[in-house]
Amino acid sequence: MGAEYKLDFTSGFAPLANAPEVADRMRRVAAQVVPQERIQIPEQTMGGEDMSFFLERVPGCYVFLGIKDTGLAALHSPHFDFDESILPLGVEMAARYAMQTLSRE
């Protein structure tokens, strides 16, 4: 039949795996900033995230801040617009984490 093919296989993104000690410390930092009932541990997903490449080299923790109000467009929609009022919370958590980590070293 003369059929031909070429197979190009790429592996895509590496799995994103939080370093347990970093995630535990970040959870404690979050509890200093927001009420405990607002802290949620998300379920594992099969979604890809390029942050995984950083976490292969340096222990870290991927954090969801909760930037989407209900009723807004979906995250990857061209109409999505996140709630910027959450940004100071993320900055405070990152700063506290950095200060606590640096004070231990």
Side-chain angles (χ1 to χ4, degrees):
M1 296 279 173
E4 295 182 20
Y5 75 95
K6 178 182 176 187
L7 175 64
D8 261 341
F9 180 80
T10 57
S11 63
F13 292 100
L16 189 148
N18 290 333
E21 67 279 2
V22 177
D24 288 341
R25 190 178 308 162
M26 182 55 83
R27 194 175 299 116
R28 289 192 302 273
V29 166
Q32 297 169 1
V33 178
V34 298
Q36 185 67 37
E37 62 271 10
R38 288 186 54 196
I39 299 171
Q40 300 176 9
I41 309 303
E43 293 184 25
Q44 292 182 351
T45 71
M46 294 295 291
E49 175 55 54
D50 56 359
M51 183 70 179
S52 63
F53 295 113
F54 292 105
L55 297 183
E56 284 182 327
R57 296 178 183 260
V58 178
C61 175
Y62 192 79
V63 176
F64 292 104
L65 287 178
I67 60 170
K68 182 182 184 300
D69 280 336
T70 56
L72 295 178
L75 182 61
H76 295 286
S77 161
H79 305 288
F80 179 73
D81 187 19
F82 71 93
D83 179 4
E84 293 180 8
S85 69
I86 197 75
L87 293 178
L89 178 82
V91 170
E92 181 175 355
M93 287 173 48
R96 284 178 183 249
Y97 182 91
M99 290 169 53
Q100 290 178 21
T101 300
L102 292 171
S103 71
R104 293 180 184 185
E105 296 179 4

